Amino acid sequence: MRYLLIVTLLWAFSFSLIGEYLAGRVDSYFAVLTRIVIAGLLFLPLTRWRGHAPAFVRGMLVIGALQFGITYVCLYLSFSVLTVPEVLLFTILTPLHVTLIEDALNRRFNPWALLAALVAVLGAGIIRYDGISSSFLLGFLLLQVANFTFAAGQVLYKHLLLKFPSSEPQYRRFGFFYLGALLIALPAFLLLGNGERLPGSALQWGVLGWLGVVASGLGLYWWNKGASLVDGGTLAVMNNALVPAGLLVNLLIWNHDADLLRLAIGGAVIALSLPLAGLGRKPVRIG
């Protein structure tokens, strides 16, 4: 639990740092690639590369590609069309995606989860009721892809550790995670990145360095380790603890002009969607 609490505090600041210093200024694909490279350099020297089951290695590569590669590419792209509070509020749907993934793994259909998704979309519409545009909808959809891949990474990581137990510390096997993320971020930057929008100041490089070492390196490792040690319900709660923490940081330090009433009403509607997803099914512990 302490790992999840620590990472929640770290990530609460990360969203605002991205929105204030990188979004719209530094190429999104380059920012993600830089974070992956920096984080990977922390763990690659610590990783034991031999003696693992091939299926475990493949699993870690897939998890890294999903939870870091695809998630962060979509997250950064969403910042170009959404405000930081909107990004944070729309990440509240991650537990819903966890529910859908669990249902899929257990081969069952829950109509309440679909109703929950519709209610969440209604909440998003309230937040932007006078400014819904194609770019806003694109941002919302990008975040749902990010929510899904981040949720999938958490669920699959816990399942993978249970299937391939080891007496070694988790960090000795975590380097594969960053290699998987690199398989997504490097081609994305080479194909879609803009080489003319690289960091232009020491501050931007510093923010990328902090995000790479602390938020992505230590943060993602601690989050996945914490996720492997708690039950599914606790994990869902901690996924959403990031939202109020991140909003508090952003609104108090940077975004003083936000429409608090609209954010509160829309956020409340989105939050109400989460209990709906649990109706009509028995709670299932991940793993």
Side-chain angles (χ1 to χ4, degrees), residues 82 114 268:
L82 299 175
L114 294 180

Side-chain angles (χ1 to χ4, degrees), residues 25-209:
R25 300 173 180 85
V26 177
D27 178 70
S28 298
Y29 300 101
F30 178 81
V32 174
L33 177 61
T34 302
R35 289 181 64 168
I36 291 172
V37 170
I38 293 174
L41 290 175
L42 290 179
F43 283 89
L44 295 184
L46 303 175
T47 301
R48 182 174 67 86
W49 298 103
R50 297 185 178 183
H52 303 293
F56 173 81
V57 175
R58 291 194 298 270
M60 286 297 291
L61 291 175
V62 170
I63 291 168
L66 290 171
Q67 194 178 4
F68 197 170
I70 297 176
T71 295
Y72 278 76
V73 166
C74 292
L75 175 67
Y76 270 74
L77 290 174
S78 72
F79 274 102
S80 64
V81 291
L82 299 175
T83 66
V84 173
E86 289 169 345
V87 170
L88 281 161
L89 282 174
F90 296 161
T91 61
I92 204 174
L93 298 175
T94 301
L96 174 59
H97 291 275
V98 171
T99 298
L100 293 173
I101 293 169
E102 287 182 5
D103 286 342
L105 290 176
N106 289 283
R107 297 183 179 181
R108 60 191 174 200
F109 172 71
N110 180 13
W112 288 100
L114 294 180
L115 177 60
L118 293 176
V119 173
V121 172
L122 174 63
I126 292 173
I127 293 172
R128 277 285 192 98
Y129 75 94
D130 62 347
I132 294 179
S133 63
S134 58
S135 60
F136 173 77
L137 294 175
L138 175 62
F140 181 79
L141 292 175
L142 282 170
L143 275 179
Q144 297 324 299
V145 174
N147 288 340
F148 179 84
T149 52
F150 189 75
Q154 296 175 72
V155 174
L156 294 175
Y157 184 74
K158 187 165 186 174
H159 277 280
L160 193 68
L161 291 188
L162 290 171
K163 188 175 182 180
F164 297 97
S166 173
S167 59
E168 288 187 318
Q170 291 186 30
Y171 66 81
R172 295 285 288 169
R173 304 195 288 174
F174 208 69
F176 298 104
F177 175 88
Y178 295 105
L179 288 181
L182 189 64
L183 293 176
I184 297 295
L186 181 58
F189 172 67
L190 293 176
L191 294 174
L192 304 172
N194 184 352
E196 297 180 357
R197 294 179 57 199
L198 302 184
S201 68
L203 177 60
Q204 291 175 337
W205 281 110
V207 169
L208 279 176

Side-chain angles (χ1 to χ4, degrees), residues 253-278:
I253 299 177
W254 283 288
N255 199 358
H256 300 288
D257 299 325
D259 189 333
L260 297 181
L261 179 60
R262 194 185 306 171
L263 285 172
I265 296 175
V269 172
I270 293 175
L272 287 174
S273 71
L274 299 178
L276 292 175

